[in-house]
Amino acid sequence: MHQKRQRPTTGRITINDVAERSGVSIKTVSRVLNNEPSVRPSTRARVEAAVRALDYSPNPSARGLAGTQSRMIGLIYDNPSPNYLFRTITGVLEACNGAGYALSLQAPNPDEPDLAESVTRFVSQSRVDGLLLIPPVGDVVAVLDALEAIGLPYARVSPLDGRPGLGVSVDDRHASAQVVAHLTGLGHRRIGFISGHPEHGATQSRLEGYRLGLLRKDLDFERELVVGGRFDLESGRRAGAYFLDMENPPTAIFASNDEMAAGLLQVALERGWRIPEQLSIAGFDDTPLSRTLWPPLTTVHQPIRHMALRATELLLENLAENLHENLDIHGHAGSKRLGSRVEVFDAPLVERATTAPPPD
Amino acid sequence: MHQKRQRPTTGRITINDVAERSGVSIKTVSRVLNNEPSVRPSTRARVEAAVRALDYSPNPSARGLAGTQSRMIGLIYDNPSPNYLFRTITGVLEACNGAGYALSLQAPNPDEPDLAESVTRFVSQSRVDGLLLIPPVGDVVAVLDALEAIGLPYARVSPLDGRPGLGVSVDDRHASAQVVAHLTGLGHRRIGFISGHPEHGATQSRLEGYRLGLLRKDLDFERELVVGGRFDLESGRRAGAYFLDMENPPTAIFASNDEMAAGLLQVALERGWRIPEQLSIAGFDDTPLSRTLWPPLTTVHQPIRHMALRATELLLENLAENLHENLDIHGHAGSKRLGSRVEVFDAPLVERATTAPPPD
DNA sequence: ATTCAAAATGACAGCGCTAACAAATTTTTC
DNA sequence: GAAAAATTTGTTAGCGCTGTCATTTTGAAT
């Protein structure tokens, strides 16, 4: 018996097997797989049965090659906190799983100075259908321009600018003002503020919220009560040292993220201050840290997981729309419309144990 | 002028363009792209020039379909800490970027009770070339069996069992004993231990290390000085309450991860204990938390990023080997050899501010 | 019944690449 | 310098799907 040498076939089940078993053409199987209309319910059922019986799942490479989508979205992160990234990924994956999309992760090469370049390369190498951008990458105009130039849909989490596009955000300004309201409500009148990294989007709006909060209580904005930080522990410590060294230190300090609040707390404890009796401290973000510190930190909760989930949904919806609109497009390669939609989430104050009425 | 209706071609540059421009066949371009031997250096240079000039990058779908690899590896995580996942991803991505691989992330569906099933589905849907497993998924025998059944290469970070395969780990036992040595060196003789989640691999070896450390100093292992935790804050608090309520509490407590140490620290501070003067505390993992707490935590550093990087390298090396060994394989579909290699990393003790000589 | 539109299905090309093999070229050997 | 061996290059056939368009079937309207 002579067997002709064959290319070692993968041995996997293909669309042909499903077609054969259900007695239809492969095109019809394809239609069922892609949920296209105009398939008789009875036929659809038969095909679905065969799919299940054979435990078939379509080859993504073949789909990607033949079709126009890769069913994969990318997430690019530059320098988020571990916790932020974790919650984001969790949300994104939730959305992806429901929709049959895969998630490809990428961090830009730190050696590559040109971020937009890095992003473009990733996109052209991985052929994702769309991109999810989280801060701070999501705020780099050059990146967004580059993506629009190549016509790749994207959605942003917490964009700071008013640029049209898909995104979800939180009203940082409002939340920040709420913190001040909480503090003034306790009786504080001298409230320090540690602002964030100058290049982070949220920095500005949180500062504005602080001012707004003061304004609402007719409190003066005092320059000496605001110090610039970088969203990290060390800058929180520096700011703490600055405030505690003042002749007339504030009775409450609002750090615009939890990490800096932790730094501030360290310095205060180190110097023997009793928190919150002698000094109230508030943070922002509600990272797990805020519950791990002692005393547990009063802070603002950011629904990051949920925001990421929703941003992904917006992106995937957009991808689906673009797909159907393909008919209208005449040769304009990559003339995808991004649409514009930003959903705003609530960021509620979480009162824990670092805030109390001022001494006296 | 009548233009024939064409399928809207992607407009992208393909291997044909590169071949044309460099005056060779597409197969030669393919050879250059895949770093295959037997291409004259001069030809190679010409092709590479064309690739650069056209800014060409191969279509991964086409490669995946025509070839045997997808150049994508998967990372499955079940329930790691945000920080652990972050450091892992960072390391994995470093390795991937260097090798031209993409990373696909996946978390098993929490509703799906059968983890192995979840993993298998992910693998067959995404067609990754290999998988990276981190604890606790990496310790589930059913998952490993399933992967071996379908012949998918994988590498594990911190595997606990002696199962042959690719992996990197840390000598938890040794590191743990080191902590005890540090404590006894300071003069402690009564050392409490908070053990970890019973289903985590490290739990057992860290406990063994604790016993070993005691043994070396001829100290008795006392049942009442060991309490079970779950690697989370709350269990650290419970354990703390237990120890501090004892008639004769230990002078030092070794929590087998940082999170539990933080819980313990909370309870101690809450009750007005001075740390480290009245009680020494040590953790394990060296998460950022350990620097953020006050006082900063003495702990054991785990080189997670580096371990993940190395595990990925092992996996990718294995993939490359399998590729070349294809010749030897006769019809045994998926008869990939995993090889066996486990690299052990050092986990050094980091002395910070929660440990000091015992009172008296 | 008969005609016609609408809905359902199928045939077939080809996406961009790699595997297998064939052919052409260069190098070595005597 | 011719033959043999080794090296380099090219030709061709798919991989498993989806897009286009042709064909068949169905259901309604006459």
Side-chain angles (χ1 to χ4, degrees):
Chain A
M1 206 194 247
H2 181 268
Q3 194 175 339
K4 206 197 261 171
R5 183 81 149 84
Q6 281 275 133
R7 174 201 280 224
T9 170
T10 29
R12 291 199 97 108
I13 309 153
T14 75
I15 197 172
N16 291 295
D17 302 319
V18 179
E20 198 171 329
R21 184 174 176 123
S22 45
V24 297
S25 75
I26 59 168
K27 181 67 228 196
T28 299
V29 177
S30 171
R31 288 197 179 93
V32 172
L33 257 29
N34 294 289
N35 257 310
E36 285 174 34
S38 69
V39 174
R40 197 169 317 202
S42 60
T43 315
R44 186 179 296 274
R46 214 141 33 87
V47 172
E48 280 167 349
V51 166
R52 236 167 303 121
L54 296 172
D55 192 21
Y56 165 74
S57 63
N59 182 323
S61 291
R63 282 182 140 180
L65 186 56
T68 53
Q69 10 164 21
S70 67
R71 288 153 199 274
M72 189 154 79
I73 63 171
L75 172 59
I76 299 207
Y77 69 95
D78 195 9
N79 227 332
S81 77
N83 182 62
Y84 191 96
L85 185 67
F86 182 82
R87 287 155 81 185
T88 301
I89 289 176
T90 308
V92 174
L93 241 28
E94 268 176 61
C96 280
N97 283 341
Y101 268 76
L103 173 65
S104 178
L105 249 202
Q106 184 62 324
N109 188 334
D111 301 334
E112 164 76 71
D114 186 351
L115 196 59
E117 175 68 22
S118 250
V119 172
T120 316
R121 182 146 15 86
F122 168 55
V123 166
S124 72
Q125 281 175 7
S126 68
R127 316 272 159 128
V128 291
D129 290 341
L131 223 47
L132 221 77
L133 265 21
I134 62 178
V137 210
D139 293 324
V140 179
V141 178
V143 171
L144 307 183
D145 287 343
L147 290 177
E148 275 160 32
I150 56 179
L152 191 85
Y154 64 87
R156 296 190 284 166
V157 177
S158 300
L160 69 146
D161 52 46
R163 182 173 181 133
L166 266 25
V168 297
S169 71
V170 123
D171 192 344
D172 280 285
R173 192 156 145 280
H174 174 72
S176 199
Q178 289 293 108
V179 173
V180 176
H182 165 64
L183 260 16
T184 55
L186 289 169
H188 294 275
R189 323 225 79 222
R190 224 177 130 65
I191 301 171
F193 184 77
I194 313 180
S195 74
H197 196 290
E199 283 179 17
H200 261 62
T203 296
Q204 189 55 31
S205 32
R206 290 182 192 173
L207 177 57
E208 279 170 21
Y210 165 71
R211 298 188 72 146
L212 181 64
L214 294 180
L215 193 68
R216 286 195 179 138
K217 291 288 171 185
D218 284 327
L219 294 172
D220 283 338
F221 174 80
E222 295 180 44
R223 264 225 157 324
E224 61 163 13
L225 287 184
V226 173
V227 7
R230 308 188 71 83
F231 279 151
D232 60 3
L233 188 78
E234 192 45 41
S235 61
R237 290 186 57 97
R238 271 198 305 274
Y242 164 80
F243 281 127
L244 303 188
D245 279 341
M246 286 176 82
E247 259 179 49
N248 180 19
T251 60
I253 301 175
F254 175 17
S256 60
N257 85 341
D258 288 348
E259 187 92 357
M260 296 193 298
L264 163 61
L265 182 62
Q266 282 193 353
V267 175
L269 294 174
E270 208 171 327
R271 299 184 177 203
W273 290 54
R274 289 200 325 284
I275 311 293
E277 294 81 1
Q278 296 175 281
L279 174 71
S280 284
I281 296 178
F284 204 113
D285 285 345
D286 193 22
T287 57
L289 179 61
S290 58
R291 243 161 315 186
T292 310
L293 295 173
W294 192 259
L297 191 65
T298 293
T299 186
V300 172
H301 179 73
Q302 291 237 59
I304 297 175
R305 198 198 100 257
H306 197 221
M307 287 168 73
L309 169 64
R310 193 66 196 120
T312 309
E313 286 176 350
L314 287 176
L315 179 62
L316 296 185
E317 280 164 21
N318 183 264
L319 294 180
E321 282 164 27
N322 272 328
L323 205 60
H324 297 136
E325 275 173 19
N326 257 353
L327 306 168
D328 309 342
I329 296 176
H330 300 280
H332 291 248
S335 68
K336 312 268 173 93
R337 241 162 304 161
L338 232 197
S340 192
R341 174 158 190 187
V342 174
E343 295 189 4
V344 178
F345 283 72
D346 250 12
L349 179 75
V350 183
E351 292 180 38
R352 284 200 270 256
T354 50
T355 49
D360 295 352
Chain B
M1 207 197 241
H2 182 268
Q3 193 178 340
K4 203 197 261 174
R5 183 81 151 83
Q6 279 276 133
R7 173 201 279 225
T9 169
T10 30
R12 293 201 95 110
I13 310 154
T14 74
I15 197 173
N16 291 293
D17 302 319
V18 178
E20 199 170 328
R21 182 172 177 124
S22 45
V24 299
S25 75
I26 60 168
K27 180 64 230 200
T28 299
V29 177
S30 171
R31 287 200 179 92
V32 172
L33 258 29
N34 294 292
N35 258 310
E36 285 173 32
S38 68
V39 174
R40 195 169 317 202
S42 62
T43 317
R44 186 178 295 273
R46 217 140 32 88
V47 172
E48 280 167 349
V51 166
R52 239 169 299 122
L54 296 171
D55 192 22
Y56 165 75
S57 62
N59 182 322
S61 293
R63 283 183 141 179
L65 186 55
T68 52
Q69 14 165 18
S70 66
R71 288 151 200 276
M72 190 155 77
I73 63 170
L75 171 60
I76 299 206
Y77 70 93
D78 196 9
N79 229 333
S81 78
N83 183 62
Y84 190 93
L85 185 67
F86 182 82
R87 287 155 81 184
T88 302
I89 290 176
T90 307
V92 173
L93 242 26
E94 266 176 64
C96 280
N97 284 341
Y101 268 76
L103 172 65
S104 178
L105 249 201
Q106 185 63 323
N109 187 336
D111 301 335
E112 165 76 70
D114 186 350
L115 196 59
E117 175 69 23
S118 250
V119 172
T120 317
R121 183 145 17 84
F122 168 56
V123 166
S124 72
Q125 281 174 7
S126 68
R127 316 271 159 130
V128 292
D129 290 340
L131 224 46
L132 220 78
L133 266 21
I134 61 179
V137 209
D139 293 324
V140 179
V141 178
V143 170
L144 306 183
D145 287 344
L147 291 177
E148 274 161 33
I150 56 179
L152 192 84
Y154 64 86
R156 296 190 286 165
V157 177
S158 300
L160 68 146
D161 52 45
R163 184 176 181 128
L166 265 25
V168 297
S169 70
V170 123
D171 192 344
D172 280 285
R173 191 156 145 280
H174 175 71
S176 200
Q178 288 293 109
V179 173
V180 176
H182 165 64
L183 261 14
T184 53
L186 288 168
H188 295 275
R189 322 224 81 221
R190 225 177 130 63
I191 301 171
F193 183 78
I194 313 180
S195 75
H197 194 293
E199 283 180 16
H200 261 62
T203 296
Q204 189 55 31
S205 32
R206 292 183 191 172
L207 177 58
E208 279 170 19
Y210 165 72
R211 300 187 71 146
L212 180 63
L214 294 180
L215 194 67
R216 285 193 179 139
K217 290 289 172 185
D218 284 327
L219 294 171
D220 282 338
F221 173 82
E222 295 180 43
R223 262 224 156 333
E224 61 165 11
L225 288 183
V226 173
V227 7
R230 308 188 71 82
F231 279 150
D232 59 3
L233 188 78
E234 193 43 43
S235 60
R237 290 186 57 97
R238 272 198 304 273
Y242 165 80
F243 280 126
L244 303 187
D245 279 343
M246 287 176 81
E247 257 178 52
N248 179 17
T251 59
I253 302 174
F254 174 20
S256 60
N257 85 341
D258 288 348
E259 187 93 358
M260 296 193 298
L264 163 62
L265 181 62
Q266 282 192 355
V267 175
L269 293 175
E270 209 171 325
R271 299 185 177 202
W273 289 54
R274 288 199 328 280
I275 311 293
E277 293 81 1
Q278 297 176 280
L279 174 71
S280 283
I281 297 178
F284 205 113
D285 285 346
D286 194 23
T287 58
L289 181 60
S290 59
R291 243 162 314 185
T292 309
L293 294 173
W294 191 258
L297 192 65
T298 292
T299 185
V300 173
H301 178 74
Q302 293 238 58
I304 298 175
R305 198 198 98 258
H306 197 222
M307 287 168 73
L309 168 64
R310 192 65 197 122
T312 308
E313 285 177 351
L314 287 176
L315 178 61
L316 296 184
E317 279 165 22
N318 182 263
L319 293 180
E321 281 164 27
N322 272 328
L323 205 60
H324 297 137
E325 275 174 19
N326 257 352
L327 306 168
D328 308 343
I329 296 176
H330 300 281
H332 291 249
S335 68
K336 313 263 171 99
R337 241 162 303 158
L338 232 196
S340 192
R341 174 159 189 185
V342 174
E343 295 190 3
V344 178
F345 283 71
D346 248 13
L349 180 74
V350 183
E351 293 180 37
R352 283 201 270 256
T354 49
T355 47
D360 293 355

